[in-house]
Amino acid sequence: MRYIDLFCGIGGFRIAINQVLIAKNINPKCVFSSDIDADAQNIYQMNFGEQPAGDITQIGAEDIPEHDILLAGFPCQPFSICGQLKGFEDTRGTLFFDIARILACKQPDYFILENVKQLVGHNQGKTLKSIIEVLEKLGYTVEYKVLNALHLGLPQKRERIFIVGYRQLLPFRWDIQKIPMKPLTEILEPQVSEFYYASEKIRNSRLVKYQGKTHIEPTIWHENKAGHISAYPYSCALRAGASYNYLLVNGERRLTEREMLRLQGFPDEFKLVASYSTARRLIGNSVPVPCVVFMLNCLLNAIKNFTTDRNRVSLNSNG
Ligand SMILES: C[S@@+](CC[C@H](N)C(=O)[O-])C[C@H]1O[C@@H](n2cnc3c(N)ncnc32)[C@H](O)[C@@H]1O
């Protein structure tokens, strides 16, 4: 199965699709990847041996190889333009336009897109409706769902919209089965260097705000925008641009790079050489691997059932 990995970041989609296809004895082949961020490109190259192409807006759709499935966790740009979408051309100026023009030119059988949950309610739902209309006009049946990584086995509350599209009349179903959450003890490193510890001043300020509430460690302390502190046996969503101390393990230290990768479901073999702030940005932008695994399994099951039904019909009609 040939796929393209758009807005690939550090490769969350790629890890998931390789994992799922190999488990089903299907050969995965990435025929094109792209990301504008030089740090993401380096880490992607380090792990997958391929340097992604750069700015997608500068790449002609006809220069992209044929593929079966398009994967894209496109950036959550301001979608203001899409409000009055009347069609494909009206999405120009958004990165969704680049996805649509590649779909229009290459017509892969399937796509999976990911974005922030807020896309659902944006502009009273008109933005998402417009996006879906564009995708339907391109010949796809489109479905979407908000998935929470917390319900798919990761100790991270991260809700994202996933949009899937397919050309044939597939019997697509959301085979939702909650996967028990991995405990934080399997995520946290037993010993971490002093570098990750917050200053005494910050730790004390968190303790004061937390007001001595009791909890069973380990927990991850989350400070919301209003300054309220909560301690959970899971992490709140990792965010690319948030303050350094909004998530603190047991109220005292930041997450390590490896812990953040684990919270996104990346395997421990994944290599990441970057400054702490770059690592936070790239991992915070990434997609939770189990959510993509779930999406791909739903899609592949639908393809399998469709093929089996079609074979059964042709057997019957042959007598
Ligand atoms: C939400 S992140 C997706 C991350 C990815 N799914 C992962 O697992 O790491 C969006 C990505 O789009 C990239 N991006 C933004 N504008 C772009 C452009 N014009 N061309 C290519 N990539 C772009 C960003 O650098 C960022 O890595």
Side-chain angles (χ1 to χ4, degrees), residues 252-269:
E252 55 187 17
R253 70 161 177 88
R254 294 171 203 115
L255 290 154
T256 68
E257 295 85 337
R258 181 58 60 201
E259 290 167 343
M260 289 189 277
L261 284 168
R262 287 178 183 162
L263 284 172
Q264 293 282 44
F266 279 56
D268 278 0
E269 305 82 77

Side-chain angles (χ1 to χ4, degrees), residues 86-97:
K86 292 186 197 85
F88 178 48
E89 283 301 317
D90 290 349
T91 63
R92 203 178 276 282
T94 71
L95 289 167
F96 171 71
F97 173 80

Side-chain angles (χ1 to χ4, degrees), residues 264-303:
Q264 293 282 44
F266 279 56
D268 278 0
E269 305 82 77
F270 192 84
K271 301 186 230 27
L272 195 142
V273 182
S275 69
Y276 188 68
S277 59
T278 301
R280 280 178 74 243
R281 174 169 56 78
L282 296 176
I283 303 170
N285 260 337
S286 189
V287 66
V289 173
C291 293
V292 186
V293 166
F294 168 80
M295 288 298 310
L296 284 161
N297 277 327
C298 293
L299 182 61
L300 290 172
N301 285 345
I303 298 172

